Amino acid sequence: MAQSDTVQVFDSQGESYKQAFQVFLNHTDQKRNAKRWLQQIVNAMPTRQVFIDAGAGNGAVTSAFADAFARTIAIEPNVHLLSQLQQAIPHAEAIGEPILKAKPAAKGDLVLCSHILYYIRPEEWLAQLECLVSWMSPTGVTVVILQNRETGCMNMVHHFLNHRFELRHVADLFQQKYGDRYDMTVTLDPAHVETHDFASAYTVAEFMLNLLPMPHPPRRRDLETYISTHFAGVNGSYRLPVHQDFLQIRARR
């Protein structure tokens, strides 16, 4: 099977990946909804001294909340993204290490990890969560955001790649281990990708499949059929659900 007949496999540092990600951002309310939801958390916080963003990327989400805190610590191991972040938020303290190796110099009133666990092996998720919580101040909150396992795009990932991202499962493991010390909640917040052309819908679907390694990428025509069957709307539009789970962890008082 020729490469042109299969779903494209992106290099996360390549231009095709960046273009596909931008198509996603141009057509979704996911980031806007996440910022709205997080703003409610920030507004209710008793103190806003330190914000730690773990996996801050280019700083798009970090910058939305950096000014609400006296100090911002941004953790991003990708050199290219870290450079963009430092340009976008020059006053943030940048750490170019993965989560398990990073050592923030202060405890966070808000510790955020938004849509990062896709890129970490599931067997490491509990250790990642333990690390994030260890950075939290006594009155702070740790928030982990990931697409809900049953949302439309995640069902597509499972269909083609036989994998689900189980945020609630790792939350259960954490609670079994530390349940007497922390209060935990998981909140579902709806979000969608809306496009008026098939090409954009296909690009977003292809981008979602690239959340996982694809040594044997599915056929392009199979993905096209899936999109037409599951995501087609009216008048040539397409709607791809990308609902988010928000996991909150706080020290029990």
Side-chain angles (χ1 to χ4, degrees), residues 13-84:
Q13 304 299 312
E15 196 59 35
S16 294
Y17 176 88
K18 297 173 192 174
Q19 291 173 357
F21 187 32
Q22 191 60 53
V23 171
F24 168 75
L25 292 176
N26 289 345
H27 292 87
T28 188
D29 59 2
Q30 188 189 77
K31 300 299 183 186
R32 183 178 71 245
N33 291 359
K35 290 176 183 177
R36 181 206 67 230
W37 191 93
L38 287 167
Q39 189 64 60
Q40 296 173 352
I41 297 295
V42 171
N43 290 345
M45 297 181 73
T47 181
R48 295 196 290 264
Q49 290 300 308
V50 180
F51 170 32
I52 300 176
D53 194 355
N58 64 4
V61 174
T62 321
S63 62
F65 301 100
D67 290 343
F69 293 82
R71 184 177 181 183
T72 295
I73 301 172
I75 297 165
E76 177 50 59
N78 182 298
V79 175
H80 175 71
L81 293 176
L82 185 66
S83 175
Q84 293 183 30

Side-chain angles (χ1 to χ4, degrees), residues 35-247:
K35 290 176 183 177
R36 181 206 67 230
W37 191 93
L38 287 167
Q39 189 64 60
Q40 296 173 352
I41 297 295
V42 171
N43 290 345
M45 297 181 73
T47 181
R48 295 196 290 264
Q49 290 300 308
V50 180
F51 170 32
I52 300 176
D53 194 355
N58 64 4
V61 174
T62 321
S63 62
F65 301 100
D67 290 343
F69 293 82
R71 184 177 181 183
T72 295
I73 301 172
I75 297 165
E76 177 50 59
N78 182 298
V79 175
H80 175 71
L81 293 176
L82 185 66
S83 175
Q84 293 183 30
L85 183 148
Q86 289 172 312
Q87 293 180 36
I89 320 171
H91 63 277
E93 300 170 40
I95 300 176
E97 296 282 358
I99 290 171
L100 292 182
K101 291 185 177 180
K103 298 186 184 301
K107 296 290 186 181
D109 298 297
L110 172 61
V111 179
L112 176 64
C113 184
S114 178
H115 293 283
I116 299 303
L117 292 182
Y118 310 116
Y119 309 105
I120 296 170
R121 293 184 302 173
E123 57 268 27
E124 296 180 0
W125 280 21
L126 181 58
Q128 302 281 334
L129 192 54
E130 290 171 329
C131 188
L132 294 170
V133 171
S134 75
W135 299 340
M136 185 175 66
S137 72
T139 60
V141 58
T142 296
V143 177
V144 180
I145 309 175
L146 209 66
Q147 278 194 54
N148 179 272
R149 73 184 299 278
E150 298 291 348
T151 199
C153 278
M154 293 299 96
N155 285 334
M156 177 186 68
V157 169
H158 183 259
H159 174 82
F160 285 105
L161 304 178
N162 194 32
H163 182 85
R164 291 197 187 275
F165 296 100
E166 301 281 1
L167 180 60
R168 289 174 185 263
H169 175 65
V170 74
D172 288 343
L173 292 177
F174 186 90
Q175 192 159 41
Q176 290 168 16
K177 192 171 180 180
Y178 301 102
D180 59 336
R181 295 171 52 188
Y182 298 98
D183 291 319
M184 304 176 61
T185 59
V186 179
T187 304
L188 176 67
D189 191 69
H192 296 85
V193 171
E194 308 254 10
T195 82
H196 295 288
D197 64 285
F198 182 83
S200 295
Y202 181 88
T203 296
V204 170
E206 192 171 56
F207 173 76
M208 287 295 168
L209 291 181
N210 272 270
L211 292 175
L212 287 169
M214 287 191 292
H216 305 289
R219 295 182 298 182
R220 180 184 178 93
R221 68 187 182 192
D222 290 340
L223 180 57
E224 292 172 340
T225 298
Y226 190 96
I227 294 167
S228 298
T229 302
H230 294 275
F231 301 137
V234 296
N235 299 324
S237 66
Y238 296 87
R239 196 168 196 248
L240 291 69
V242 288
H243 308 330
Q244 303 171 93
D245 277 334
F246 291 79
L247 169 64

